[in-house]
Amino acid sequence: MAMTSDIVNAPEGNSRHGRTLDALVIGAGFSGLYQLLCLRDRLGLSVQVLEAADGVGGTWYWNRYPGARCDSESHSYCYSFSDELMREWEWSERYPGPPEILRYLNHVADRFDLKRNIRFNTRVTAAHYDEAANRWRATTDAGDVYTAQFLVTAVGCLSAANVPNIPGLETFSGRWYHTGQWPHEGVDFRGKRVGQIGTGCTGIQVAPVIAETATHLTVFQRTANYSVPARNGPLTPEFKRYVRENTAEIRRVTQSSVNGHPWFINERSALEVSPVERQALYEAAWETGGLRFRGIFRDLVTSNEANATAVAFLKDKIRKIVKDAATAEKLADIDHPYAAKRPPIDTDYFETFNRDNVMLVDVRADPIGRITQNGIRTKSGAEYPLDIIVFATGFDGMTGSLLRMDIRGRDGLPLAEAWKAGPSNYLGLQVAGFPNLFTVTGPGSPSVLCNMPVAIEQHVEWITDCIAHMRKKGLTRIEATEESMEDWVAKVNAAANATVLPQAKHSWYLGANIPGKPRVFMPYAGGMAHYRKICTEVAARNYEGFTLSA
């Protein structure tokens, strides 16, 4: 271990590269930090984390657009592996923004002395498996090569920004930005005419803030969306005390709830209560705000009839909030069931369209034709002069970050080739033909359908336990079988088809926002608690569905 211990103890910025490691982790967000801690401190492995940014944070390092906020409640959007950590960190708001989340992740990194094993400003461009040596060789953008027995991708589900290929962008004389690659110094909208493309979760967060200072904001909407008020606000001293005194109960609920949130979905059906009671329950949930709205009835995502009651309520709210009837109808012209796409929560999104300086353009009725030197022109010939364009167009979700690296398994098989018909793996953790490669919250896992830190902790701990088992048994290689992958993909499809989720044809859950991407429902919709049980049983049965060898 003398050779690898130099890496373990090397300070940040050390110039020695290319050493052989036990494990290499790509990414220093929630996943990468915890994976480093588990492999290094619990198993005593030599571990290096490579991170493209110059600091920790993952998605929160890049997503610093105005209005950006977490949509999980702060007291559950954090690590739960340590009672002491849960008690000592105090969140200020119900839904924290990037600065507070980054402070938290830096606190964790410093508290557990993680940064000495993270090399920042280092992007992995390729990772190839050497079967003879049973090692992964990862190459960085600087040309350095790292060799490791285990490769763990902690690159995030929503980190590969999607800038749509609209003709003429290169001719635009103003400035343009993608919300997922926001300048850290911020953007000044004062005196500017701004065009915003996209009305998903990000667009719904950013529009109200841009409108506050811009001379004019034009929102280009292709797909209208539901949204529920976040009701964000400062946490009371009483609630902060509750969190400190109830860490075990918070952990129990998040780990046993369907979506990893600190509350359970109600057992009642939307169809079993009277219309008057149902309306009252929806009104109470609307006032409570946030994703708890989704949990008011058990069958909102499993029954179209039940879902229709939520749809009617939410569309009625839009029509009551937005004063201009024509604009309200465009915003309420939603073509999918509630929560079939990621359900946004907002602060004054629909109210923003009551401002004199805000306009909505329906680009489903009149698509964008091209970007010109002075703005955006639609197919009808309508011109919208702009100084700034903001792309709130999301990400190449779940697979983009992996496929943008040149990952090659046995016999040089590219991951892009293995997934040309859509991502196929076992438990969202491993791919046949790619031994000792683990994907944290990869496609096929609950990931984006639940509170991410809960999913991340479960994955990281499962990977850590698996590697510990291998070392104890003298095993050096683990790989998912083709049969287990086929069976798991069938289970992922069955879980999705038991819900209304696949009915949203423009959802990034299906890859529908990326031209040419296979239309495959990627996350596992069977619930985080049930998924946890499956993974535990697989491990208990000697890692059934994997081939392990010495």
Side-chain angles (χ1 to χ4, degrees), residues 398-529:
M398 303 201 72
T399 60
S401 300
L402 294 167
L403 297 181
R404 291 184 186 190
M405 290 185 286
D406 177 19
I407 299 177
R408 303 191 181 204
R410 182 184 295 108
D411 299 324
L413 174 66
L415 184 61
E417 176 67 20
W419 283 359
K420 66 180 179 181
S424 174
N425 61 22
Y426 185 38
L427 301 175
L429 285 162
Q430 271 213 329
V431 182
F434 297 78
N436 293 354
L437 168 65
F438 294 100
T439 56
V440 180
T441 63
S445 74
S447 60
V448 295
L449 296 181
C450 71
N451 181 17
M452 285 299 297
V454 176
I456 286 166
E457 281 192 327
Q458 184 273 334
H459 260 202
V460 166
E461 289 166 3
W462 193 96
I463 292 167
T464 303
D465 290 345
C466 177
I467 293 175
H469 168 83
M470 292 176 65
R471 291 172 71 83
K472 181 179 179 180
K473 298 292 186 180
L475 304 170
T476 64
R477 189 181 323 217
I478 181 170
E479 178 183 352
T481 67
E482 292 281 358
E483 295 76 17
S484 66
M485 288 204 314
E486 291 175 7
D487 180 66
W488 184 245
V489 169
K491 284 183 168 63
V492 170
N493 289 332
N497 290 331
T499 73
V500 302
L501 274 68
Q503 296 177 32
K505 301 306 180 185
H506 294 287
S507 172
W508 59 260
Y509 292 160
L510 291 160
N513 61 325
I514 305 298
K517 188 170 182 173
R519 299 299 185 259
V520 175
F521 193 85
M522 292 180 282
Y524 175 69
M528 186 64 220

Side-chain angles (χ1 to χ4, degrees), residues 306-323:
N307 193 278
T309 66
V311 167
F313 176 85
L314 293 169
K315 289 186 176 183
D316 184 60
K317 283 292 185 184
I318 295 171
R319 295 183 177 108
K320 287 179 178 177
I321 292 170
V322 181
K323 296 175 182 177

Side-chain angles (χ1 to χ4, degrees), residues 229-388:
R231 308 295 184 201
N232 188 42
L235 299 179
T236 65
E238 292 76 18
F239 187 80
K240 292 177 182 179
R241 183 170 62 251
Y242 161 79
V243 172
R244 290 194 301 271
E245 295 176 354
N246 293 275
T247 54
E249 176 63 9
I250 292 169
R251 183 187 305 110
R252 182 191 73 81
V253 175
T254 57
Q255 292 187 354
S256 55
S257 61
V258 171
N259 300 110
H261 291 293
W263 38 268
F264 293 111
I265 292 176
N266 200 288
E267 285 301 312
R268 64 187 160 224
S269 165
L271 306 176
E272 293 172 353
V273 298
S274 70
V276 172
E277 183 181 358
R278 185 168 57 231
Q279 181 72 14
L281 289 168
Y282 277 139
E283 289 287 357
W286 177 269
E287 291 305 316
T288 298
L291 293 179
R292 290 178 187 257
F293 186 93
R294 188 175 58 181
I296 195 67
F297 296 113
R298 71 169 188 267
D299 48 1
L300 286 189
V301 297
T302 57
S303 163
N304 278 307
E305 189 179 358
N307 193 278
T309 66
V311 167
F313 176 85
L314 293 169
K315 289 186 176 183
D316 184 60
K317 283 292 185 184
I318 295 171
R319 295 183 177 108
K320 287 179 178 177
I321 292 170
V322 181
K323 296 175 182 177
D324 179 73
T327 300
E329 285 310 308
K330 291 176 185 177
L331 291 165
D333 185 21
I334 305 171
D335 64 358
H336 56 274
Y338 170 66
K341 300 178 73 170
R342 190 174 180 92
I345 61 176
D346 72 273
T347 299
D348 296 332
Y349 175 65
F350 295 116
E351 291 84 350
T352 295
F353 293 95
N354 293 330
R355 299 178 62 108
D356 293 336
N357 68 328
V358 176
M359 173 192 296
L360 180 69
V361 176
D362 180 1
V363 296
R364 188 161 54 179
D366 187 12
I368 294 174
R370 66 180 296 106
I371 294 173
T372 67
Q373 181 179 358
N374 298 315
I376 289 177
R377 180 187 303 147
T378 60
K379 290 289 181 67
S380 70
E383 297 267 3
Y384 299 92
L386 303 169
D387 304 302
I388 295 174

